Amino acid sequence: MQNVNDIEKKIEDLRNQIRYHDYRYYCLDNPEISDFEYDTLFKELQKLEQENPLFITSDSPTQRVSGAVVSSTFEKVKHTTPMLSLENSYSMEDVLAWNQRISKYVDVKNIEYIVEPKIDGLSAELTYINNSFVSGATRGDGEYGEDITENLKTIKNIPLKILSNEKIVLCEIRGEVYINKKDFEFLNEELLDKGQSKFANPRNAAAGSLRQKNPQITAERKLSFYVHSFGQVQGLEDGHKIEKHSEFLDFCSKIGFPIQKNIKVCKNIEEVKSFLMFLQENRDNLPYEIDGAVVKVNDYNLQKIIGYTNKSPRWAIAYKFPARQATTKLLSIELQVGRTGVVTPKATLSPVALSGVVISNATLHNFDEIERLNVNIGDDIVIERAGEVIPKIIKVAKKNSEGYFLPPMHCPSCGSKIVKEEGDVYYNCINPSCPAQFRRSLIHFVSRDAMNIEGFGEVVIDQLLKLNKLHTFADIYKLTFDDFMMLDLFKEKKANNLIQAIAESKTKPLSSLLAALGIRHIGDKSAQILADRFKNIDNLISAKEEDLLSINEIGPILVQSILDFFANEDTLKMIEELKVLGVNMSEPEKDTSFSPLENKTFVLTGELSTMTRKDAENIILSLGGKVTSSVSKKTAYVVVGENPGSKYDKAVKLGITIINEQQFKELINAK
Ligand code: IVH
């Protein structure tokens, strides 16, 4: 039998091995061991931690995915130093003009520049205290960001612990969260399979995945990170020569952070120019989408001399690549009817290669745009891709037709008259029973953010519509095993899985149902607010205008939309039917009857601002936890308020999870 110290040592040893192999695999792209060997190490660690939960620390490689779901919105956090943005430039002349501007401050003939690709992702800040990752935030408005700690932890190439023997007291690493082209395409295919809408570009995919309230979803998306700058760094021992950005990046790379490969230190602006051209010409060969490059003055002392404007450093500039264009023929214009009846034109093109992909569709936005472009079927047109999957038509290259494509008078799906409101650019089919609208509403109803019926994708919906099986949302819950067995590629197992998924969706909370019903202007956030406020659908249906108006976050347009929605007899009938079929119509109360903090020991230190220590202790006790006065290895959480005492330092030393007041509140609310 091993003693406790041996077990702890073994656990720490396994963690260090895994951290090292993560680094080899995710940062250096150069693994030393096979997947099988890695999995064996990981499983061994998992097993030891399960048997010895007291030794679990938040920076363990097993702790990437937390079960805690953010209840409404992400907490705001203030950046210790503002996260600035970059000035943009769109031509080589602009870059030369920038160089001219900085020559007022430094002798540009004798300086070094560093050029880095600019991935269009999402800026994030990672905070490490004594080498452990403790929190992370989005850039937000530069001053305040959102706390997305749990989501960032799921990104495999972000180290949860800095790989260094030296203890760095505080280290704020800034960089970009992004998704590789391959992973982006895979994600979109997967979303489509599940009947959900695709992301228009990798940036949206990264942002949408990172801002998930459920970190388990973020964990399923293959996000990556690279370092591009820093906030505060404290306690770095002397002896590091970090006087230049290139040295900072090298240092980051050595201590476990992912750094981009295609970075070049340039000796003069001519070299900068040719490397910018090189990146522009080779952008399609990179595994991720880049929209430009960033030129920085390399030397930190010179950066200081050149300084900052309010919004951005003067010592750096972003060079944005020109959008990629191609010319092709407009073959036809298809009219699509959305969930809310908006009719949008979509162009079908003669297939053409653009930035490594064959393009056969383009966006036309709306009919005003068609008029502005004076474009019609048969014209040769220029398309442009600025990161999006579906390119835009930007102009007519050669006019082969008369005039422009006219907006429809009648709905292409149901034939009803099309209406355009004064001042609106959209043409609408206002027939509530329009089949095309209903089809889109069904796609939305079953989607992940709504009732989340996995396997109920567009292909299934189209076949069921054809078989006349779906007339209202309630019909979904009347479908039988035999109905599914009639569909293409359905065998017993698939049919049963789908029946199971439909049954499970009946237990979704009211907030999901409200989001699923497709009430105009009601998204998942307002659905959650309404559900929290009214608790069940009957309360909401009978709510008066003034009740709704009294809710802060719900404005008059939403109120009218809710009133209109529930004034419809058919809607009320459908809701009654859903009820009879067993669909849950209420929002669960936050359950405090069980003891989610059972056996978890808390230590409180410092002053809390929104509650007394006694209150906090009572809450912990009421949720089954324990409160002790001193920190030991057995402590699960140390809650830190203003002016914390030595308990804080001890917690840091022992690697205990440290949480602030806000995180404590989240923890108790999530339970
Ligand atoms: S440096 C003070 N380097 O571009 C500015 N930013 O448009 C520090 N970005 O907010 C940022 N690649 O999110 C820097 N290699 C790179 C970058 C980069 C992408 C983003 C970053 C920034 C935005 C500004």
Side-chain angles (χ1 to χ4, degrees):
M1 191 68 182
Q2 282 178 306
N3 75 29
V4 177
N5 281 344
D6 289 344
I7 295 174
E8 193 184 6
K9 242 172 94 196
K10 175 82 192 154
I11 288 180
E12 205 39 47
D13 177 50
L14 282 167
R15 282 181 191 151
N16 285 335
Q17 286 189 54
I18 293 169
R19 284 173 187 137
Y20 173 74
H21 292 301
D22 278 343
Y23 173 63
R24 301 282 323 185
Y25 186 90
Y26 292 107
C27 296
L28 304 184
D29 221 356
N30 186 9
E32 272 178 5
I33 57 172
S34 69
D35 288 0
F36 176 76
E37 287 168 298
Y38 178 88
D39 289 346
T40 309
L41 289 175
F42 201 89
K43 279 187 196 137
E44 195 181 346
L45 174 62
Q46 264 177 331
K47 183 165 170 279
L48 279 177
E49 285 185 346
Q50 266 160 19
E51 288 165 0
N52 303 279
L54 291 181
F55 294 141
I56 299 179
T57 55
S58 64
D59 61 9
S60 169
T62 59
Q63 302 300 301
R64 285 203 178 264
V65 189
S66 119
V69 175
V70 172
S71 50
S72 51
T73 49
F74 294 104
E75 288 304 326
K76 261 189 165 189
V77 278
K78 193 170 180 1
H79 299 298
T80 53
T81 50
M83 288 183 78
L84 301 177
S85 65
L86 293 168
E87 189 191 333
N88 283 330
S89 67
Y90 298 90
S91 67
M92 238 14 119
E93 288 76 59
D94 286 352
V95 176
L96 294 179
W98 164 78
N99 194 48
Q100 196 59 40
R101 283 199 299 280
I102 63 168
S103 69
K104 275 197 288 194
Y105 306 92
V106 292
D107 174 11
V108 291
K109 282 201 193 70
N110 289 311
I111 65 171
E112 267 180 12
Y113 304 84
I114 179 162
V115 181
E116 302 167 10
K118 184 171 187 297
I119 303 184
D120 198 13
L122 206 80
S123 215
E125 177 169 78
L126 317 172
T127 302
Y128 292 80
I129 294 182
N130 288 341
N131 294 16
S132 289
F133 176 75
V134 292
S135 62
T138 60
R139 172 174 180 269
D141 62 6
E143 200 186 340
Y144 287 91
E146 287 174 322
D147 182 339
I148 49 160
T149 307
E150 293 308 326
N151 298 12
L152 286 167
K153 273 173 84 174
T154 68
I155 299 178
K156 296 269 186 43
N157 72 352
I158 291 182
L160 297 184
K161 186 149 194 188
I162 293 179
L163 293 184
S164 166
N165 293 329
E166 175 188 341
K167 276 248 158 125
I168 306 167
V169 178
L170 171 71
C171 183
E172 292 173 342
I173 294 291
R174 294 174 176 178
E176 205 76 357
V177 175
Y178 67 97
I179 186 164
N180 277 321
K181 284 183 208 165
K182 234 177 43 229
D183 296 324
F184 169 66
E185 275 158 32
F186 182 75
L187 169 62
N188 265 353
E189 273 167 34
E190 220 179 32
L191 289 173
L192 208 64
D193 274 353
K194 290 185 185 157
Q196 297 172 25
S197 36
K198 300 199 290 184
F199 287 109
N201 55 48
R203 190 201 134 79
N204 289 2
S209 302
L210 195 57
R211 296 185 73 264
Q212 286 288 336
K213 290 177 190 162
N214 181 353
Q216 301 200 1
I217 298 178
T218 311
E220 287 165 20
R221 311 275 170 92
K222 292 214 165 92
L223 299 178
S224 304
F225 178 82
Y226 71 86
V227 177
H228 60 49
S229 52
F230 57 89
Q232 282 196 18
V233 179
Q234 279 172 25
L236 197 59
E237 282 167 14
D238 294 342
H240 293 288
K241 190 172 156 281
I242 304 187
E243 290 162 0
K244 297 174 176 185
H245 188 58
S246 52
E247 289 167 358
F248 164 71
L249 293 178
D250 286 344
F251 177 68
C252 284
S253 175
K254 279 202 197 95
I255 60 170
F257 288 94
I259 302 299
Q260 287 204 78
K261 285 203 190 79
N262 299 282
I263 289 180
K264 188 176 157 83
V265 174
C266 299
K267 294 265 175 293
N268 52 52
I269 200 74
E270 287 308 313
E271 259 185 57
V272 168
K273 237 171 102 177
S274 45
F275 190 60
L276 288 176
M277 288 321 294
F278 170 81
L279 285 176
Q280 186 168 319
E281 275 156 27
N282 290 286
R283 60 193 292 201
D284 291 337
N285 302 329
L286 295 176
Y288 38 75
E289 194 69 64
I290 63 173
D291 65 345
V294 185
V295 185
K296 300 171 184 175
V297 168
N298 198 18
D299 188 296
Y300 285 153
N301 272 329
L302 297 181
Q303 287 188 0
K304 236 185 249 158
I305 293 170
I306 301 169
Y308 296 81
T309 68
N310 285 344
K311 284 196 301 217
S312 48
R314 266 197 216 100
W315 45 261
I317 190 153
Y319 167 71
K320 297 287 226 108
F321 297 151
R324 291 167 289 201
Q325 295 189 342
T327 304
T328 186
K329 199 177 276 302
L330 175 56
L331 295 181
S332 67
I333 293 177
E334 196 193 321
L335 298 173
Q336 293 188 325
V337 187
R339 175 159 69 85
T340 55
V342 177
V343 181
T344 41
K346 203 178 112 196
T348 306
L349 314 172
S350 176
V352 60
L354 181 60
S355 57
V357 274
V358 177
I359 305 287
S360 48
N361 289 306
T363 314
L364 271 163
H365 294 298
N366 54 51
F367 294 96
D368 284 5
E369 176 82 351
I370 294 182
E371 183 177 347
R372 190 183 67 76
L373 294 168
N374 191 30
V375 65
N376 210 340
I377 296 166
D379 291 344
D380 290 344
I381 45 118
V382 177
I383 56 169
E384 188 173 283
R385 251 186 101 197
E388 301 84 3
V389 172
I390 303 181
K392 294 192 266 270
I393 295 185
I394 56 151
K395 64 178 180 199
V396 172
K398 186 163 161 267
K399 189 99 191 116
N400 303 318
S401 67
E402 290 289 308
Y404 59 89
F405 185 84
L406 293 172
M409 311 275 279
H410 299 282
C411 171
S413 171
C414 67
S416 314
K417 213 168 149 244
I418 291 291
V419 176
K420 186 184 187 227
E421 303 277 339
E422 250 326 280
D424 193 357
V425 290
Y426 295 112
Y427 288 75
N428 290 288
C429 165
I430 52 165
N431 170 15
S433 16
C434 168
Q437 283 181 55
F438 179 52
R439 176 180 176 275
R440 287 264 147 218
S441 308
L442 283 168
I443 293 171
H444 172 73
F445 188 88
V446 299
S447 68
R448 181 172 239 163
D449 293 331
M451 298 305 270
N452 192 16
I453 308 183
E454 206 162 310
F456 213 111
E458 281 187 42
V459 182
V460 171
I461 290 176
D462 285 339
Q463 292 183 73
L464 289 169
L465 283 169
K466 223 177 189 170
L467 291 168
N468 230 357
K469 293 282 179 197
L470 297 173
H471 304 96
T472 74
F473 295 144
D475 290 339
I476 294 174
Y477 295 96
K478 295 180 194 159
L479 292 167
T480 63
F481 178 79
D482 292 342
D483 289 332
F484 291 122
M485 288 301 278
M486 289 171 72
L487 309 184
D488 290 349
L489 301 177
F490 264 77
K491 296 231 169 70
E492 209 164 295
K493 182 154 180 248
K494 200 165 167 188
N496 277 327
N497 284 348
L498 197 42
I499 292 210
Q500 176 72 18
I502 294 173
E504 276 168 18
S505 79
K506 290 185 187 178
T507 61
K508 295 284 283 179
L510 175 65
S511 46
S512 303
L513 179 65
L514 290 178
L517 288 173
I519 307 169
R520 261 198 130 153
H521 310 297
I522 302 288
D524 55 350
K525 200 167 154 196
S526 33
Q528 186 67 57
I529 292 164
L530 292 169
D532 285 342
R533 171 69 173 250
F534 293 100
K535 302 288 181 223
N536 67 53
I537 204 146
D538 293 325
N539 291 343
L540 176 61
I541 292 173
S542 54
K544 300 265 174 321
E545 187 174 356
E546 56 270 26
D547 300 333
L548 292 163
L549 281 170
S550 72
I551 309 172
N552 259 346
E553 300 92 332
I554 307 284
I557 294 178
L558 267 71
V559 169
Q560 196 51 51
S561 164
I562 297 162
L563 293 171
D564 290 349
F565 185 81
F566 291 116
N568 184 314
E569 284 298 322
D570 290 337
T571 303
L572 295 179
K573 223 172 91 193
M574 185 264 296
I575 288 173
E576 274 313 307
E577 246 190 300
L578 284 174
K579 235 188 239 176
V580 173
L581 289 160
V583 175
N584 172 49
M585 299 275 156
S586 55
E587 191 69 4
E589 287 292 336
K590 303 233 177 325
D591 190 356
T592 52
S593 63
F594 72 125
S595 306
L597 302 184
E598 188 108 72
N599 296 329
K600 294 244 179 342
T601 308
F602 284 71
V603 172
L604 303 161
T605 176
E607 258 170 66
L608 303 176
S609 62
T610 58
M611 61 179 102
T612 63
R613 278 262 201 112
K614 194 78 215 141
D615 289 340
E617 283 181 21
N618 285 338
I619 293 169
I620 295 167
L621 294 176
S622 73
L623 293 171
K626 287 184 226 147
V627 182
T628 59
S629 56
S630 65
V631 179
S632 74
K633 289 222 169 94
K634 291 192 185 149
T635 312
Y637 294 101
V638 174
V639 185
V640 179
E642 282 289 309
N643 304 320
S646 61
K647 291 176 196 168
Y648 172 77
D649 299 332
K650 182 144 185 222
V652 170
K653 220 182 203 163
L654 294 178
I656 308 290
T657 307
I658 299 170
I659 56 176
N660 61 24
E661 185 168 352
Q662 204 47 55
Q663 289 164 324
F664 172 62
K665 283 191 307 295
E666 267 168 34
L667 183 75
I668 54 183
N669 279 332
K671 303 295 175 186

